[in-house]
PDB file of all heavy atoms in Angstrom:
ATOM      1  N   VAL A 101     -72.531  32.945-138.997  1.00  0.00           N
ATOM      2  CA  VAL A 101     -73.220  34.236-139.099  1.00  0.00           C
ATOM      3  C   VAL A 101     -72.473  35.166-140.050  1.00  0.00           C
ATOM      4  O   VAL A 101     -73.080  35.839-140.903  1.00  0.00           O
ATOM      5  CB  VAL A 101     -73.359  34.864-137.698  1.00  0.00           C
ATOM      6  CG1 VAL A 101     -73.875  36.292-137.806  1.00  0.00           C
ATOM      7  CG2 VAL A 101     -74.288  34.028-136.830  1.00  0.00           C
ATOM      8  N   SER A 182     -80.083  22.539-152.564  1.00  0.00           N
ATOM      9  CA  SER A 182     -81.524  22.778-152.725  1.00  0.00           C
ATOM     10  C   SER A 182     -81.939  24.209-152.454  1.00  0.00           C
ATOM     11  O   SER A 182     -82.981  24.657-152.947  1.00  0.00           O
ATOM     12  CB  SER A 182     -82.313  21.856-151.787  1.00  0.00           C
ATOM     13  OG  SER A 182     -82.093  22.214-150.432  1.00  0.00           O
ATOM     14  N   ALA A 243     -99.206  29.860-141.724  1.00  0.00           N
ATOM     15  CA  ALA A 243     -98.482  28.795-141.024  1.00  0.00           C
ATOM     16  C   ALA A 243     -97.577  29.363-139.943  1.00  0.00           C
ATOM     17  O   ALA A 243     -97.440  28.784-138.858  1.00  0.00           O
ATOM     18  CB  ALA A 243     -97.665  27.980-142.030  1.00  0.00           C
ATOM     19  N   ALA A 266     -88.696  24.873-109.432  1.00  0.00           N
ATOM     20  CA  ALA A 266     -87.631  25.697-108.870  1.00  0.00           C
ATOM     21  C   ALA A 266     -88.063  26.325-107.547  1.00  0.00           C
ATOM     22  O   ALA A 266     -87.246  26.477-106.621  1.00  0.00           O
ATOM     23  CB  ALA A 266     -87.233  26.780-109.863  1.00  0.00           C
ATOM     24  N   ALA A 338     -88.792  15.757-121.905  1.00  0.00           N
ATOM     25  CA  ALA A 338     -89.558  14.788-121.122  1.00  0.00           C
ATOM     26  C   ALA A 338     -88.640  13.804-120.411  1.00  0.00           C
ATOM     27  O   ALA A 338     -88.862  13.452-119.241  1.00  0.00           O
ATOM     28  CB  ALA A 338     -90.531  14.049-122.048  1.00  0.00           C
ATOM     29  N   ALA A 365    -100.380   8.681-131.563  1.00  0.00           N
ATOM     30  CA  ALA A 365     -99.942   7.706-132.558  1.00  0.00           C
ATOM     31  C   ALA A 365    -101.093   7.324-133.489  1.00  0.00           C
ATOM     32  O   ALA A 365    -100.937   7.303-134.717  1.00  0.00           O
ATOM     33  CB  ALA A 365     -99.375   6.469-131.864  1.00  0.00           C
ATOM     34  N   TRP A 461     -81.716   7.520-157.523  1.00  0.00           N
ATOM     35  CA  TRP A 461     -81.058   7.697-156.225  1.00  0.00           C
ATOM     36  C   TRP A 461     -82.057   8.154-155.163  1.00  0.00           C
ATOM     37  O   TRP A 461     -82.072   7.633-154.041  1.00  0.00           O
ATOM     38  CB  TRP A 461     -79.919   8.707-156.345  1.00  0.00           C
ATOM     39  CG  TRP A 461     -78.742   8.208-157.118  1.00  0.00           C
ATOM     40  CD1 TRP A 461     -78.532   8.315-158.467  1.00  0.00           C
ATOM     41  CD2 TRP A 461     -77.611   7.498-156.593  1.00  0.00           C
ATOM     42  NE1 TRP A 461     -77.344   7.720-158.812  1.00  0.00           N
ATOM     43  CE2 TRP A 461     -76.756   7.219-157.687  1.00  0.00           C
ATOM     44  CE3 TRP A 461     -77.243   7.075-155.315  1.00  0.00           C
ATOM     45  CZ2 TRP A 461     -75.551   6.542-157.528  1.00  0.00           C
ATOM     46  CZ3 TRP A 461     -76.043   6.403-155.157  1.00  0.00           C
ATOM     47  CH2 TRP A 461     -75.214   6.138-156.247  1.00  0.00           C
ATOM     48  N   ASP A 592     -80.297  -4.415-115.850  1.00  0.00           N
ATOM     49  CA  ASP A 592     -81.706  -4.780-115.858  1.00  0.00           C
ATOM     50  C   ASP A 592     -82.244  -4.888-117.281  1.00  0.00           C
ATOM     51  O   ASP A 592     -83.075  -5.727-117.590  1.00  0.00           O
ATOM     52  CB  ASP A 592     -82.523  -3.748-115.073  1.00  0.00           C
ATOM     53  CG  ASP A 592     -82.213  -3.795-113.590  1.00  0.00           C
ATOM     54  OD1 ASP A 592     -81.923  -4.893-113.085  1.00  0.00           O
ATOM     55  OD2 ASP A 592     -82.250  -2.739-112.962  1.00  0.00           O
ATOM     56  N   VAL A 671    -114.018   3.603-143.491  1.00  0.00           N
ATOM     57  CA  VAL A 671    -113.994   2.872-142.215  1.00  0.00           C
ATOM     58  C   VAL A 671    -113.934   3.835-141.040  1.00  0.00           C
ATOM     59  O   VAL A 671    -114.636   3.676-140.038  1.00  0.00           O
ATOM     60  CB  VAL A 671    -112.815   1.890-142.189  1.00  0.00           C
ATOM     61  CG1 VAL A 671    -112.654   1.292-140.793  1.00  0.00           C
ATOM     62  CG2 VAL A 671    -113.016   0.781-143.216  1.00  0.00           C
ATOM     63  N   VAL A 694    -123.483  12.569-169.663  1.00  0.00           N
ATOM     64  CA  VAL A 694    -122.523  13.221-168.770  1.00  0.00           C
ATOM     65  C   VAL A 694    -121.207  13.416-169.508  1.00  0.00           C
ATOM     66  O   VAL A 694    -120.656  12.469-170.093  1.00  0.00           O
ATOM     67  CB  VAL A 694    -122.295  12.388-167.485  1.00  0.00           C
ATOM     68  CG1 VAL A 694    -121.232  13.035-166.613  1.00  0.00           C
ATOM     69  CG2 VAL A 694    -123.606  12.235-166.732  1.00  0.00           C
ATOM     70  N   ASP A 705    -108.322  18.612-140.271  1.00  0.00           N
ATOM     71  CA  ASP A 705    -107.874  18.200-138.944  1.00  0.00           C
ATOM     72  C   ASP A 705    -109.023  18.396-137.957  1.00  0.00           C
ATOM     73  O   ASP A 705    -109.435  19.527-137.672  1.00  0.00           O
ATOM     74  CB  ASP A 705    -106.652  19.028-138.528  1.00  0.00           C
ATOM     75  CG  ASP A 705    -105.922  18.430-137.332  1.00  0.00           C
ATOM     76  OD1 ASP A 705    -106.607  18.093-136.345  1.00  0.00           O
ATOM     77  OD2 ASP A 705    -104.694  18.287-137.382  1.00  0.00           O
ATOM     78  N   TYR A 740    -110.591  54.599-116.902  1.00  0.00           N
ATOM     79  CA  TYR A 740    -109.945  53.288-116.886  1.00  0.00           C
ATOM     80  C   TYR A 740    -108.678  53.326-116.041  1.00  0.00           C
ATOM     81  O   TYR A 740    -108.413  52.426-115.229  1.00  0.00           O
ATOM     82  CB  TYR A 740    -109.590  52.851-118.311  1.00  0.00           C
ATOM     83  CG  TYR A 740    -110.773  52.590-119.208  1.00  0.00           C
ATOM     84  CD1 TYR A 740    -110.638  52.656-120.598  1.00  0.00           C
ATOM     85  CD2 TYR A 740    -112.029  52.289-118.684  1.00  0.00           C
ATOM     86  CE1 TYR A 740    -111.721  52.411-121.435  1.00  0.00           C
ATOM     87  CE2 TYR A 740    -113.107  52.053-119.512  1.00  0.00           C
ATOM     88  CZ  TYR A 740    -112.952  52.124-120.879  1.00  0.00           C
ATOM     89  OH  TYR A 740    -114.028  51.888-121.698  1.00  0.00           O
TER      90      TYR A 740
END
Side-chain angles (χ1 to χ4, degrees):
V101 171
S182 68
W461 289 90
D592 292 327
V671 171
V694 176
D705 194 312
Y740 294 157

